[in-house]
Amino acid sequence: MTSLSQRIEDVRRRIDSACVRAGRRPEDVELMLVSKTVERERIDEAIAAGHTLFGENRVQEIVAKFSDGVPPQVRVHLIGHLQTNKVKAVLPLVDAVHSVDRTSLVEEIEKRSGDASIDAYLQVNTSGESSKFGVSPGETRRLAERMAASSSLRLRGLMTIALFDADEERVRSCFRLLRELRDDLVERGIADSLGLSMGMSSDFEAAIEEGATVVRVGTTVFGRRDTPDSAYWPPNP
Ligand SMILES: *Cc1c(COP(=O)(O)O)cnc(C)c1O
């Protein structure tokens, strides 16, 4: 059995190699450990190993795991679908939301954030699957403009979940689409620079080669989850 810290180091090495292959700087790609279903004890182990960025899918789970507060050096990012009625509870606990996908959610964040502002990624459905959340590519610019104009949000980039497919070209086409949408927003001056939150255990190296700035890795570091992914991406959201 390899230790948690060895597995984190191993993923980091694979990230760095992918950067080298793509002619990118390793410091331009951040590793997020996706800790959904992972117990707080093991999260603390990763923190003790020096890791500071964690991704969680569910508001209730974040509240339960971090009821004693998030350690000061640690950042928790919400990467799962956010219901409007959970915004108030989650804002004090997270540093960013990667799943902003509708105007009503932006409005609720504005209502609940007071003077604070939160980092936000706009989630795009690049695979066209009905089970995935996110705006369609064609709706991206409109929501991005809305987010960029909000003083409650700092638009940091775009986020996507690629197709799960053995055909790597089809997976990459999702990443490429997100990058093109990002480039278009920057070209139009909607933001000076925008990141790309894309790539998971099965596809993070391809995502980096296509421009990812944050990769979200769970299974490769923490092991298989008992909860199937369909619990997070329900059909017909
Ligand atoms: C669970 C999850 C991940 C991590 O998936 P793994 O395959 O376990 O690496 C990344 N992004 C989102 C949005 C997730 O829900």
Side-chain angles (χ1 to χ4, degrees), residues 19-58:
C19 286
V20 170
R21 281 200 297 281
R24 302 185 56 205
R25 302 186 309 170
E27 61 268 35
D28 291 342
V29 179
E30 197 168 16
L31 169 60
M32 173 198 290
L33 297 188
V34 176
S35 49
K36 63 188 181 210
T37 79
V38 174
E39 288 160 30
R40 177 62 193 268
E41 233 175 35
R42 301 194 63 223
I43 295 175
D44 285 340
E45 228 182 287
I47 295 171
H51 197 80
T52 55
L53 177 61
F54 295 87
E56 288 280 350
N57 284 65
R58 287 184 165 163

Side-chain angles (χ1 to χ4, degrees), residues 126 140 158 172-188 196 198 210:
T126 54
T140 304
L158 303 180
R172 277 182 190 262
S173 68
C174 296
F175 297 143
R176 232 170 265 148
L177 174 56
L178 198 72
R179 186 183 66 211
E180 287 163 7
L181 290 167
R182 189 270 315 266
D183 292 348
D184 179 62
L185 297 176
V186 172
E187 238 162 68
R188 288 172 187 276
L196 295 172
M198 59 187 195
E210 299 298 341

Side-chain angles (χ1 to χ4, degrees), residues 32-36 55-57 79-81 98 123 159-161 164 197 199-204 215-221 223-225 229 232-233:
M32 173 198 290
L33 297 188
V34 176
S35 49
K36 63 188 181 210
E56 288 280 350
N57 284 65
I79 59 172
H81 182 66
H98 286 234
Q123 183 173 356
M159 179 273 220
T160 201
I161 300 169
F164 291 105
S197 168
M200 305 170 38
S201 287
S202 58
D203 55 23
F204 70 87
V215 293
R216 311 180 306 264
V217 177
T219 310
T220 299
V221 166
R224 274 206 164 303
R225 292 177 294 269
D229 281 336
Y232 298 96
W233 307 309

